[in-house]
Structure formats: structure tokens, C-alpha cells
């Protein structure tokens, strides 16, 4: 059974930092692109960041460039997102996803597996 399990969400004040992580199991994810998406209240799901199977390609949403860093573990079945200088408008449920495409990494429809999400709340 394939599972993506997120951890590390929580509450932080404006300007603070959080690190969310995702552990994938149930199959070999070494060749998969992994990404982080978020859904804020009343908004559609949007890409935050994605990383190719070997880490050679990293995609960031324009709004998070320079503040967020995506990385994956040596075993390639874990992915983390370090979030710095967080803003209240980034309060959302953050989802981990895995897919086979290295093109159009920002498109959620190209991801095959999804986690249940972890809440990140940034208070002002």
C-alpha cells in the first residue's frame, strides 16, 4: 500500500520558520518527482515546490523563491520543505505528492500519489 505521510506542520508567527517532511512507502520512489502543494482556505491547490528524482531539477513557486528550500533524502523516499520568513497568507494545508513526470512539475494533475496534508498556520 502506497503511503505518503507528512509531518512537521504547526503554528508559527510571521517571519518564523517551519520544516515539513514527507515519508513515502509502499513502493520505490527513487525515480519519482516529489512535490509540495498547499491549499489555503477558499483557494485552489497550488504548487509550492517540486524536486526531480535525483534532485537535479527544483521548481519553486515565484512567491516562495529565496525563502523555501526543497530537498530529498539520500534514499530518495523522503522529501522536506524548509520554510523561512513565513507570511500569514501562507497559512494552508501542505500536501506532499509524488509523480513520474519531470516536466510541468507545477501541475497537480501529473502527480499520482498524495499525502493527507499537514496544517501550517502563520499568525500575525
Amino acid at each position: 500500500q502506497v503511503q505518503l505521510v507528512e509531518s512537521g506542520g504547526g503554528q508559527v508567527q510571521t517571519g518564523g520558520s517551519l520544516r515539513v517532511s514527507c515519508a513515502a512507502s509502499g513502493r520505490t520512489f527513487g525515480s519519482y518527482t516529489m512535490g509540495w502543494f498547499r491549499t489555503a482556505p477558499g483557494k485552489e491547490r497550488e504548487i509550492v515546490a517540486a524536486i526531480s528524482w535525483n534532485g537535479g531539477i527544483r521548481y519553486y513557486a515565484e512567491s516562495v523563491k529565496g525563502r523555501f528550500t526543497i530537498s530529498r533524502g539520500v534514499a530518495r523516499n523522503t522529501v522536506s520543505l524548509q520554510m523561512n520568513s513565513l507570511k500569514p497568507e501562507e497559512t494552508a494545508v501542505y500536501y506532499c505528492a509524488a509523480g513520474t513526470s519531470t516536466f510541468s512539475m507545477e501541475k497537480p494533475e501529473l502527480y499520482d500519489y498524495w499525502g493527507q496534508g499537514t496544517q501550517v498556520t502563520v499568525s500575525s
Side-chain angles (χ1 to χ4, degrees):
Q1 181 181 0
V2 173
Q3 279 191 313
L4 275 65
V5 179
E6 301 96 337
S7 61
Q11 184 167 351
V12 67
Q13 291 189 329
T14 298
S17 298
L18 275 177
R19 184 179 181 89
V20 290
S21 297
C22 171
S25 61
R27 66 170 301 143
T28 302
F29 283 90
S31 61
Y32 276 67
T33 291
M34 299 190 76
W36 284 97
F37 292 78
R38 64 188 177 193
T39 304
K43 296 187 177 181
E44 293 185 354
R45 186 168 298 188
E46 64 175 358
I47 182 72
V48 179
I51 186 167
S52 62
W53 67 278
N54 63 352
I57 302 172
R58 302 186 191 203
Y59 176 95
Y60 293 97
E62 196 64 36
S63 61
V64 308
K65 283 182 180 178
R67 299 186 297 119
F68 289 15
T69 302
I70 189 169
S71 60
R72 62 192 304 167
V74 173
R76 297 178 183 166
N77 65 334
T78 59
V79 62
S80 296
L81 183 68
Q82 176 67 40
M83 304 182 289
N84 298 328
S85 302
L86 282 159
K87 306 173 182 179
E89 55 266 37
E90 295 179 309
T91 292
V93 178
Y94 284 69
Y95 297 90
C96 172
T100 57
S101 177
T102 55
F103 300 97
S104 300
M105 298 163 71
E106 75 279 13
K107 294 183 178 180
E109 60 266 31
L110 297 183
Y111 288 79
D112 303 307
Y113 304 105
W114 292 84
Q116 293 299 306
T118 185
Q119 177 70 44
V120 171
T121 301
V122 185
S123 57
S124 57

